[in-house]
Amino acid sequence: MPIKPLEIEVVESKAGNIYEAIIIAAKRARQVNDEMKIEYSQRLQPLMEKEEEDETVVSKDKMNISLDFEKRLKPTEVGISELLDDNLEFRIRTDETE
Protein backbone atom coordinates (compact mmCIF):
# COMPACT_ATOMS: atom_id res chain seq x y z
CA MET A 1 0.00 0.00 0.00
CA PRO A 2 1.65 3.24 -1.12
CA ILE A 3 1.84 6.19 1.22
CA LYS A 4 -0.03 9.23 -0.03
CA PRO A 5 1.29 12.50 1.41
CA LEU A 6 -1.24 15.20 2.24
CA GLU A 7 -0.75 18.94 2.21
CA ILE A 8 -1.29 20.24 5.73
CA GLU A 9 -2.80 23.48 4.44
CA VAL A 10 -5.47 21.57 2.49
CA VAL A 11 -6.43 19.43 5.48
CA GLU A 12 -6.40 22.44 7.79
CA SER A 13 -8.69 24.40 5.46
CA LYS A 14 -11.47 21.83 5.98
CA ALA A 15 -11.79 22.66 9.70
CA GLY A 16 -10.76 25.38 12.12
CA ASN A 17 -7.22 24.02 12.46
CA ILE A 18 -5.21 20.88 11.75
CA TYR A 19 -6.05 19.29 15.10
CA GLU A 20 -9.78 19.65 14.58
CA ALA A 21 -9.45 18.20 11.08
CA ILE A 22 -7.60 15.17 12.44
CA ILE A 23 -10.22 14.61 15.15
CA ILE A 24 -13.03 14.85 12.59
CA ALA A 25 -11.37 12.35 10.24
CA ALA A 26 -10.57 10.00 13.16
CA LYS A 27 -14.16 10.02 14.43
CA ARG A 28 -15.43 9.23 10.95
CA ALA A 29 -12.85 6.43 10.64
CA ARG A 30 -14.16 4.92 13.90
CA GLN A 31 -17.71 5.04 12.53
CA VAL A 32 -16.63 3.32 9.31
CA ASN A 33 -14.72 0.71 11.30
CA ASP A 34 -17.76 -0.02 13.48
CA GLU A 35 -19.95 -0.35 10.37
CA MET A 36 -17.45 -2.76 8.83
CA LYS A 37 -17.36 -4.87 12.01
CA ILE A 38 -21.15 -5.15 12.00
CA GLU A 39 -21.24 -6.10 8.33
CA TYR A 40 -18.45 -8.65 8.82
CA SER A 41 -20.29 -10.25 11.74
CA GLN A 42 -23.54 -10.39 9.78
CA ARG A 43 -21.85 -12.06 6.84
CA LEU A 44 -20.09 -14.60 9.07
CA GLN A 45 -23.12 -15.49 11.17
CA PRO A 46 -24.66 -17.99 8.68
CA LEU A 47 -21.25 -19.60 8.18
CA MET A 48 -20.74 -20.09 11.89
CA GLU A 49 -23.99 -22.04 12.04
CA LYS A 50 -22.86 -24.31 9.17
CA GLU A 51 -19.38 -24.77 10.61
CA GLU A 52 -20.33 -27.91 12.50
CA GLU A 53 -21.43 -29.66 9.30
CA ASP A 54 -18.57 -29.12 6.84
CA GLU A 55 -15.38 -27.30 7.79
CA THR A 56 -13.79 -27.21 4.31
CA VAL A 57 -16.58 -25.31 2.61
CA VAL A 58 -17.00 -22.91 5.48
CA SER A 59 -13.31 -22.06 5.67
CA LYS A 60 -13.27 -21.27 1.93
CA ASP A 61 -16.26 -18.98 2.38
CA LYS A 62 -14.62 -17.33 5.37
CA MET A 63 -11.49 -16.76 3.30
CA ASN A 64 -13.51 -15.14 0.51
CA ILE A 65 -15.22 -12.81 2.96
CA SER A 66 -11.88 -11.90 4.55
CA LEU A 67 -10.35 -11.17 1.14
CA ASP A 68 -13.32 -8.99 0.26
CA PHE A 69 -12.76 -6.89 3.38
CA GLU A 70 -9.00 -6.69 2.80
CA LYS A 71 -9.56 -5.17 -0.66
CA ARG A 72 -11.58 -2.30 0.78
CA LEU A 73 -10.12 1.04 1.73
CA LYS A 74 -8.99 1.29 5.31
CA PRO A 75 -11.28 3.28 7.63
CA THR A 76 -8.65 6.00 8.08
CA GLU A 77 -8.40 6.49 4.33
CA VAL A 78 -12.18 6.73 4.07
CA GLY A 79 -12.35 9.32 6.87
CA ILE A 80 -9.63 11.50 5.37
CA SER A 81 -10.97 11.27 1.82
CA GLU A 82 -14.51 12.15 2.95
CA LEU A 83 -13.15 15.14 4.85
CA LEU A 84 -11.10 16.34 1.88
CA ASP A 85 -13.99 15.83 -0.55
CA ASP A 86 -16.34 17.83 1.71
CA ASN A 87 -18.62 14.81 2.22
CA LEU A 88 -18.72 15.18 6.00
CA GLU A 89 -21.02 17.40 7.99
CA PHE A 90 -19.74 18.28 11.42
CA ARG A 91 -20.13 20.90 14.07
CA ILE A 92 -17.69 21.89 16.72
CA ARG A 93 -18.91 22.24 20.28
CA THR A 94 -18.31 25.52 21.99
CA ASP A 95 -18.55 26.38 25.66
CA GLU A 96 -20.63 29.42 24.88
CA THR A 97 -24.41 29.16 24.86
CA GLU A 98 -26.13 30.38 21.73
Side-chain angles (χ1 to χ4, degrees), residues 38-75:
I38 291 170
E39 181 184 353
Y40 185 73
S41 296
Q42 288 174 346
R43 288 179 65 182
L44 279 182
Q45 186 64 29
L47 297 176
M48 298 305 280
E49 295 169 359
K50 292 181 182 179
E51 189 173 67
E52 297 171 0
E53 298 170 12
D54 190 9
E55 286 187 23
T56 58
V57 175
V58 174
S59 56
K60 288 179 185 177
D61 291 338
K62 284 182 183 178
M63 182 62 78
N64 290 336
I65 291 171
S66 295
L67 290 174
D68 179 40
F69 277 86
E70 284 182 20
K71 291 177 185 176
R72 295 182 182 187
L73 290 176
K74 303 298 180 208

Side-chain angles (χ1 to χ4, degrees), residues 14-35:
K14 302 300 178 178
N17 59 46
I18 189 69
Y19 303 106
E20 289 175 356
I22 291 170
I23 295 296
I24 292 164
K27 285 188 177 194
R28 178 61 183 141
R30 279 190 217 113
Q31 289 174 344
V32 170
N33 190 43
D34 291 342
E35 292 168 3

